[in-house]
Amino acid sequence: MSSAAPAPRPSTAQTATASDPSLLSLLGQATFVWDLASDALNWTGRIAELFQDIPAETLATGASYAAMLEPSRAVRSEALLNAAAAAGPGCVPYRIEYGIRASTSAPVCWIEETGVWFAGADGRPARVEGIVRINNERHARDEQLLKLSQHDPLTGELNRTHLIAALAEAIEEASRFRTSLSFMLVGLDHLSRVNDSFGFDVADEVISTISGRIRSRLRSGDQLGRFSGNKFGLVLKNCTVDDAHIAAERFLAGVRDEIVPTKSGPVSITASIGAVSAPRHARTADEAINRAQEALAAAKHRRSGSFSMWRPNVERDTQRRVNIRVTDEIVTALNERRIVLAYEPVVAAASRAPAFHECLVRMKTDDGQVLLAPDIVPVAERLGLIRLVDHRVLELVVAELAAAPGVTLSLNISPDTTIDADWWAGIESLMLAHPGIAERLIVEITETVAIPDLDEVRGFVNRLKTLGAKIAIDDFGAGYTSFRNLRALGVDIVKIDGAFVQNIVRSADDRAFVQTLIDLARRLGIKTVAEWVQDEDSAQLLCDWGCDYIQGRLIGLASQQRPWPLAAGAAAASALGQGAQ
């Protein structure tokens, strides 16, 4: 490494020091005079102690000395030329660093050389005087800092930044030479269980051990890096799709076939692998990473400890284009107030008297069509837009309740909304602005929401009930909520999933199931609603079993037309909130 940066010319004090060979040796230094015409190198100091195992004759000329230099033999001559170009003829200082060793098997000795050259009659360098100093400690420190900047401190493998750089370089090389490589993401399965059971330090032991096992199964030239907490990235050069399957099984076996010993005892773990072939299916590092992550997700979805190779999928690509289009449509519809409500009646099973109406979301499109909830909600949930939709539906429902004092309405909320602080702020603000409407509001939570975190859902339910609203569990029977959890949550209404209700006339199993649910709910003091009631025979059975309410085709499907009259002023306010219908 060379630099033309000016260095101070040796002072008188430095010259006096240089005249003491023993002191120079103690400091790991020596002075020299290099006559460029004869190429003779004359040294001052105990050269044999400074340059151990290097013959004296090798140090006698500039050419023989240069033959031992690394990384470039021309580092000294180039420094003189560069310095001359920068500073012009005359007495010009320079400073360079290089390694030196007598043979390829000998260790490298790192040297810092500082000197000045003096011009001859032609203005070119003729004589060089300088000092060399052993600089192994500084070089080792710099090497360590470089390694730390490029490698993961836990595993010693490439860190994410340099793994991605290596991948990009490998893809470029494969494209240039028309070869193939595979990029793999190895994800450790259920590492969080190790964290929870033994602690993060034990999980780190597992990560480090697995890293070593993968490293031992790599070919020369393959690269390994830590992609994230529980994922490793592998760049396998000259690797076809068939080769990737063989390599993946080798890595998977290396992880699963041996117990990992840790300070807290043995740990058994598996890994899943997702891979993509590049540049065939990934022209850039970002594309390779995204597709390897997709493949890894597919492998984990199939089962832990499996391998998946990314392949083009027309249906998936089409769905992504649809997602992009629908996302834009939903956001635009929200901004343009084209999210509206439809009302589906719920009646008393015995008297058929109206009890309340369930508010279902609808979205008007630019061409005048109306999209139903099944067309909107799943996409909005998948794309992270459902909270925006739920906010708008809440505003519309509250506007209707305020405009029609004798009406009771229910609205559905998605799982994400139960933990949405903004939704809470919105409903509390609306309840304060419209006193008394909370008693006519029913919030329906899908049954599966109650499973992941019962305490969080209980808090959600309690806050709603404090406001005065009632709580219903929707689609009960489709998930895993127990009646014990229903009692713990304190819900007011259970809506029995229509998949069990629609066939009760023909299916003995469905009859037994629905009748049991109604009986248990009645014993717990919880009202029941049967969904998807199709015919009079089903309605009569439900009434006989003690079901409180029914809804479905027999009673009437959802309609955007309000089934209740509004006062003139209230109608105008509601129409402003709902939009033209």
Side-chain angles (χ1 to χ4, degrees):
M1 178 169 65
S2 63
S3 171
R9 187 172 181 177
S11 64
T12 305
Q14 288 176 316
T15 305
T17 301
S19 65
D20 186 345
S22 61
L23 182 57
L24 287 173
S25 298
L26 290 174
L27 296 175
Q29 298 179 357
T31 62
F32 67 88
V33 176
W34 179 18
D35 182 75
L36 273 67
S38 64
D39 199 31
L41 267 176
N42 296 306
W43 298 88
T44 301
R46 300 176 182 176
I47 303 303
E49 295 178 7
L50 191 66
F51 298 109
Q52 297 181 11
D53 302 322
I54 298 179
E57 58 271 18
T58 308
L59 302 172
T61 66
S64 58
Y65 184 74
M68 299 183 293
L69 303 189
E70 297 182 3
S72 170
R73 294 184 177 185
V75 62
R76 300 178 87 218
S77 57
E78 288 174 354
L80 302 184
L81 293 175
N82 291 338
C91 175
V92 181
Y94 71 93
R95 179 181 293 131
I96 54 176
E97 292 183 3
Y98 50 83
I100 183 171
R101 57 179 168 182
S103 65
T104 55
S105 60
V108 177
C109 179
W110 291 96
I111 301 293
E112 179 185 286
E113 178 178 320
T114 305
V116 293
W117 61 262
F118 300 90
D122 58 359
R124 298 173 60 83
R127 187 178 86 259
V128 181
E129 296 183 13
I131 300 175
V132 296
R133 180 172 70 89
I134 302 294
N135 200 21
N136 287 331
E137 294 81 2
R138 175 183 167 188
H139 185 80
R141 185 173 65 254
D142 291 345
E143 287 288 309
Q144 180 64 20
L145 291 174
L146 179 62
K147 181 177 180 180
L148 290 174
S149 71
Q150 296 180 344
H151 292 77
D152 172 58
L154 176 62
T155 63
E157 304 297 343
L158 291 176
N159 59 27
R160 181 186 179 114
T161 300
H162 285 82
L163 172 67
I164 294 173
L167 172 60
E169 183 179 348
I171 292 175
E172 182 181 350
E173 180 182 315
S175 301
R176 188 167 60 251
F177 293 106
R178 299 182 181 277
T179 59
S180 179
L181 67 88
S182 289
F183 176 66
M184 292 185 176
L185 280 178
V186 182
L188 302 185
D189 299 323
H190 311 302
L191 188 66
S192 59
R193 296 179 184 175
V194 178
N195 285 329
D196 294 340
S197 301
F198 302 104
F200 287 89
D201 54 340
V202 173
D204 284 348
E205 286 187 72
V206 172
I207 292 170
S208 181
T209 300
I210 297 303
S211 170
R213 291 183 185 176
I214 295 173
R215 163 60 63 188
S216 68
R217 288 163 174 79
L218 290 178
R219 304 167 302 173
S220 175
D222 292 339
Q223 293 171 292
L224 167 63
R226 190 176 181 191
F227 183 77
S228 64
N230 69 330
K231 294 187 184 76
F232 298 99
L234 305 178
V235 181
L236 308 182
K237 298 180 180 179
N238 297 313
C239 181
T240 66
V241 172
D242 291 339
D243 295 335
H245 280 81
I246 296 171
E249 180 53 39
R250 185 169 69 247
F251 298 136
L252 292 176
V255 176
R256 70 170 179 257
D257 289 351
E258 295 182 42
I259 298 295
V260 179
T262 72
K263 63 183 181 182
S264 296
V267 173
S268 177
I269 199 163
T270 61
S272 300
I273 299 178
V276 62
S277 180
R280 181 183 180 187
H281 291 145
R283 308 293 297 183
T284 65
D286 286 344
E287 198 170 44
I289 290 169
N290 289 335
R291 293 181 171 177
Q293 296 218 76
E294 286 180 17
L296 177 59
K300 287 180 175 289
H301 180 73
R302 185 185 306 127
R303 73 176 190 282
S304 297
S306 62
F307 169 69
S308 178
M309 194 82 184
W310 190 92
R311 289 182 176 83
N313 185 309
V314 175
E315 182 179 348
R316 177 188 58 209
D317 294 341
T318 301
Q319 183 60 52
R320 286 180 177 170
R321 288 192 292 271
V322 170
N323 289 346
I324 294 172
R325 177 178 57 81
V326 173
T327 298
D328 182 65
E329 289 179 355
I330 292 174
V331 172
T332 302
L334 285 165
N335 291 333
E336 295 179 356
R337 302 293 183 177
R338 288 191 279 108
I339 297 293
V340 296
L341 297 179
Y343 310 94
E344 183 167 323
V346 179
V347 302
S351 66
R352 307 293 170 87
F356 61 92
H357 285 77
E358 180 178 355
C359 297
L360 303 174
V361 65
R362 298 287 187 264
M363 186 175 83
K364 293 182 177 180
T365 61
D366 289 332
D367 57 6
Q369 296 183 358
V370 177
L371 297 182
L372 306 182
D375 302 317
I376 305 168
V377 174
V379 177
E381 287 181 333
R382 187 165 60 247
L383 303 179
L385 298 173
I386 193 61
R387 296 185 183 187
L388 298 178
V389 174
D390 282 350
H391 274 273
R392 180 58 181 154
V393 169
L394 174 64
E395 292 173 349
L396 295 174
V397 170
V398 170
E400 288 297 323
L401 289 171
V407 173
T408 298
L409 300 177
S410 72
L411 78 157
N412 290 277
I413 60 171
S414 71
D416 287 342
T417 303
T418 63
I419 56 173
D420 183 3
D422 290 338
W423 192 87
W424 268 113
I427 193 172
E428 289 176 337
S429 175
L430 289 169
M431 295 302 103
L432 291 174
H434 302 280
I437 68 170
E439 288 77 9
R440 296 183 286 118
L441 175 65
I442 302 170
V443 177
E444 299 186 16
I445 310 171
T446 53
E447 186 209 358
T448 50
V449 180
I451 298 300
D453 192 333
L454 184 62
D455 289 336
E456 189 159 6
V457 176
R458 183 188 294 116
F460 175 86
V461 169
N462 289 339
R463 291 178 69 181
L464 280 175
K465 290 174 77 69
T466 299
L467 291 174
K470 292 183 175 61
I471 307 298
I473 295 294
D474 194 20
D475 297 331
F476 188 79
Y480 307 95
T481 304
S482 67
F483 274 95
R484 181 177 62 182
N485 287 342
L486 287 180
R487 186 169 56 183
L489 290 171
V491 300
D492 304 289
I493 301 169
V494 167
K495 301 188 74 174
I496 303 171
D497 185 48
F500 301 105
V501 175
Q502 63 180 347
N503 292 318
I504 57 174
V505 173
R506 296 175 296 276
S507 170
D509 289 342
D510 286 346
R511 284 198 299 273
F513 182 75
V514 172
Q515 189 174 8
T516 301
L517 290 185
I518 294 171
D519 184 59
L520 288 173
R522 186 171 62 250
R523 292 174 184 273
L524 293 174
I526 300 173
K527 299 292 185 180
T528 51
V529 178
E531 301 176 311
W532 297 10
V533 178
Q534 310 286 343
D535 51 63
E536 193 63 47
D537 291 340
S538 298
Q540 190 58 52
L541 283 174
L542 292 164
C543 182
D544 293 343
W545 295 336
C547 183
D548 297 288
Y549 307 105
I550 58 176
Q551 73 178 109
R553 185 178 299 275
L554 177 65
I555 306 305
L557 299 180
S559 170
Q560 288 181 244
Q561 299 301 319
R562 294 182 184 86
W564 54 82
L566 298 179
S574 179
L576 183 62
Q578 175 91 309
Q581 294 190 29

